[in-house]
Amino acid sequence: MRTDHEELCGSSYGSFCLNGGICYTIPTVSSPFCRCVENYTGARCEEILLPSIKSHTRGELFAAVLASVVVLSVLVAGAFFFLCRKGQILRTSSVERGDNLIGRNSSNGCNKITE
């Protein structure tokens, strides 16, 4: 936004502002300044503004967190199922060999086997 006391820089400051910035001077201030175009900042518009996490909506962040939780839950449930299934196969082979499992509960919490 240009004010009345700002003036465009003369040709002596032709390349003062970078990345499309517009050079201005104020008669009472000795050095010029730049008005930067979108996505640039700095005294001479030399810095690129990177998108920040604040630019994402809360809905997008919530969806990403929810998706991560769902994927993690499925992985944990799959691992638990696999380990319980593996333990059940081992217990079945013990029964076939005639091992005594009467009144014994599995210690991993998957299934209770009693005969």
Side-chain angles (χ1 to χ4, degrees):
M1 177 184 311
R2 189 167 183 254
T3 61
D4 291 333
H5 60 280
E6 295 174 358
E7 298 173 2
L8 287 171
C9 295
S11 59
S12 60
Y13 294 107
S15 61
F16 181 77
C17 298
L18 306 171
N19 300 310
I22 300 171
C23 182
Y24 288 97
T25 59
I26 298 176
T28 57
V29 178
S30 61
S31 63
F33 68 95
C34 298
R35 297 256 186 231
C36 303
V37 295
E38 188 175 356
N39 296 328
Y40 289 95
T41 188
R44 297 183 62 198
C45 304
E46 72 277 10
E47 298 176 23
I48 297 174
L49 286 173
L50 297 176
S52 69
I53 196 165
K54 291 179 182 178
S55 66
H56 297 292
T57 64
R58 288 186 182 200
E60 290 173 335
L61 293 175
F62 177 75
V65 169
L66 183 62
S68 300
V69 168
V70 168
V71 168
L72 185 61
S73 298
V74 168
L75 289 174
V76 168
F80 186 72
F81 175 77
F82 175 76
L83 293 174
C84 287
R85 187 79 175 146
K86 185 177 179 183
Q88 185 177 10
I89 292 170
L90 292 175
R91 284 191 299 277
T92 302
S93 64
S94 297
V95 169
E96 290 171 356
R97 285 195 317 257
D99 292 345
N100 185 8
L101 295 175
I102 297 174
R104 182 183 238 176
N105 292 333
S106 64
S107 62
N108 64 3
C110 295
N111 293 321
K112 292 184 179 179
I113 297 177
T114 57
E115 281 188 19

